[in-house]
């Protein structure tokens, strides 16, 4: 009997990305422009926001299942703090959603097992499964996603570590520049203000007054532009500082970086590696396997699908 299909879904503020997976192999992908953030911002109240989000997710599942009736389960990578059986406590990107029993509600509406996981944890699990295929004894992996913000996921003993409030590994809000740039979380000097795509663009704009897209800043850095190189160096330096703190706490030896900004890996990696090595304690120096992640584009939905499949398989 062939292995069943699992639908993996990556929920973003603008787009839903869907992938139909058999094991770790993606057999079909789909992108739905759903504008979830705007719908949350314009909803009359919390109940209206929750109902809009549930409708969109349930419709996407039902429609994909019509095209692929063999789908046996769903894994959702969701941007927010997730607890227990897929309850969303809160989402910084999708305001108005509080204590929403996403997993249960979608299971009831779609008649399929639904697993919901924090998006960075799901991506971490995707990277973990890939890495474990090369290192069979692997148990732990730390993942940091560099995109519009900075997220983190930790796999411990083969499972995502959520923490008491689903808020473990909020790496982007480690303070790296005391008194620095204001952050959406209410503090100042958080890592994501410097080491995200948004942060790098801001660093470049502060120096030049221009505000190009990140790939342009990356191209300028590669061409030798000193302002663009300084913006990426600041990202690498602050990231190295934060990762050294994390590794001193966790002593995890496999670290993967993903997200859209990892495409500019060559622009920030030298500063990152230099700062990381300098800040680590001697016993950890030279022992960290730090690399760009395997697949930034599908890591979230693949990881969610693999987690859902593992749940169904009882492992
Ligand atoms: Zn913050």
């Amino acid at each position: 009997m062939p292995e069943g299909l699992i639908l993996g879904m990556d929920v973003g503020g603008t787009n839903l990305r869907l992938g139909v997976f058999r094991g770790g192999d993606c057999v079909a992908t789909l992108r739905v422009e759903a504008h979830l953030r705007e719908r949350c911002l314009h909803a009359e109240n919390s109940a209206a926001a929750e109902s809009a989000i549930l409708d969109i997710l349930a419709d996407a599942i039902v429609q994909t299942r019509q095209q692929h009736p063999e789908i046996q389960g769903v894994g959702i990578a969701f941007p927010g703090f997730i607890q227990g059986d897929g309850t969303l406590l809160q989402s910084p990107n999708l305001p108005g959603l509080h204590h929403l029993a996403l997993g249960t509600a979608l299971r009831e509406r779609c008649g399929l097992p639904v697993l919901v996981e924090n998006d960075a944890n799901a991506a971490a699990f995707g990277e973990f499964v890939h890495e474990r295929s090369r290192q069979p004894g692997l148990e732990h992996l730390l993942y940091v996603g560099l995109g519009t913000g900075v997220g983190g996921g930790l796999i411990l003993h083969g499972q995502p570590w959520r923490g008491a409030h689903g808020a473990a590994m909020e790496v982007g809000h480690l303070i790296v520049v005391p008194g620095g740039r204001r952050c959406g979380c209410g503090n100042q000097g958080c890592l994501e203000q410097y080491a995200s795509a948004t942060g790098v663009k801001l660093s470049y704009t502060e120096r030049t007054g221009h505000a190009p897209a990140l790939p342009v800043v990356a191209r300028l850095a590669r061409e030798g532009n000193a302002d663009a190189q300084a913006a990426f160096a600041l990202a690498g330096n602050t990231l190295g500082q934060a990762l050294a703190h994390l590794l001193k706490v966790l002593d995890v030896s496999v670290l993967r970086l993903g997200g859209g900004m990892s495409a500019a890996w060559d622009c920030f990696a030298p500063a990152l590696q230099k700062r990381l090595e300098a800040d680590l304690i001697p016993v950890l120096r030279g022992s960290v396997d730090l690399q760009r992640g395997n697949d930034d584009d599908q890591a979230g939905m693949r990881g969610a699908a693999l987690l859902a499949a593992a749940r169904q398989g009882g492992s």
Side-chain angles (χ1 to χ4, degrees):
M1 176 126 172
E3 199 173 355
L5 296 181
I6 302 282
L7 171 61
M9 195 188 302
D10 200 345
V11 177
T14 306
N15 292 312
L16 290 184
R17 302 180 61 244
L18 298 102
V20 180
F21 290 88
R22 179 173 279 113
D25 298 328
C26 188
V27 297
T29 58
L30 187 71
R31 183 186 291 260
V32 180
E33 224 175 281
H35 301 286
L36 272 74
R37 182 173 164 78
E38 266 179 47
R39 287 180 192 235
C40 286
L41 287 170
H42 296 137
E44 269 181 33
N45 51 40
S46 250
E50 290 172 6
S51 154
I53 297 304
L54 284 174
D55 284 349
I56 291 166
L57 298 184
D59 284 354
I61 295 169
V62 168
Q63 282 174 23
T64 312
R65 201 183 183 194
Q66 281 168 0
Q67 292 167 34
H68 301 276
E70 318 93 294
I71 287 174
Q72 294 178 350
V74 182
I76 301 179
F78 200 92
F81 306 135
I82 309 290
Q83 265 192 333
D85 206 14
T87 295
L88 172 72
L89 296 187
Q90 197 204 329
S91 171
N93 297 348
L94 302 173
L97 309 178
H98 299 289
H99 284 88
L100 174 60
L102 260 179
T104 308
L106 290 171
R107 266 190 294 279
E108 283 171 3
R109 289 176 62 158
C110 305
L112 283 170
V114 177
L115 175 138
V116 185
E117 185 54 80
N118 167 271
D119 51 0
N121 275 347
F125 192 74
E127 292 291 346
F128 172 76
V129 170
H130 174 77
E131 200 55 41
R132 196 177 49 187
S133 68
R134 303 196 298 187
Q135 302 183 43
L138 185 70
E139 286 200 69
H140 319 304
L141 178 144
L142 174 61
Y143 169 85
V144 176
L146 307 169
T148 313
V150 174
L154 175 65
I155 304 300
L156 274 185
H157 300 293
Q159 290 297 322
W161 176 257
R162 288 175 168 174
H165 307 92
M169 305 310 294
E170 282 299 311
V171 178
H173 301 286
L174 291 174
I175 294 174
V176 288
V177 182
R181 295 174 186 161
R182 287 228 164 267
C183 180
C185 75
N187 283 328
Q188 281 180 268
C190 293
L191 178 65
E192 75 175 24
Q193 297 304 316
Y194 301 89
S196 63
T198 319
V200 171
K201 285 191 284 184
L202 188 56
S203 299
Y204 182 79
T205 304
E206 277 182 359
R207 297 175 72 93
T208 63
H210 301 298
L214 188 78
V216 177
V217 186
R219 178 174 54 75
L220 289 168
R222 288 174 187 130
E223 288 170 0
N225 179 294
D227 293 316
Q229 287 178 340
F232 276 108
L234 179 58
N237 194 17
T238 49
L239 190 56
Q241 194 183 333
L243 293 180
H245 284 313
L246 285 171
L247 292 177
K248 278 182 253 186
V249 174
L250 298 168
D251 187 13
V252 170
S253 58
V254 179
L255 212 164
R256 292 292 176 266
L257 299 186
M261 203 181 97
S262 67
W265 169 262
D266 56 313
C267 300
F268 65 83
L272 161 60
Q273 280 154 340
K274 188 173 169 200
R275 181 63 187 257
L276 179 62
E277 283 300 298
D279 281 15
L280 282 176
I281 51 175
V283 70
L284 296 178
R285 284 190 192 129
S287 71
V288 181
D289 170 10
L290 165 64
Q291 292 178 42
R292 187 179 168 189
N294 170 52
D295 79 48
D296 326 316
D297 204 29
Q298 295 185 345
M301 59 186 187
R302 170 176 280 116
L306 286 167
L307 273 168
R311 166 83 63 87
Q312 289 188 6
S315 60

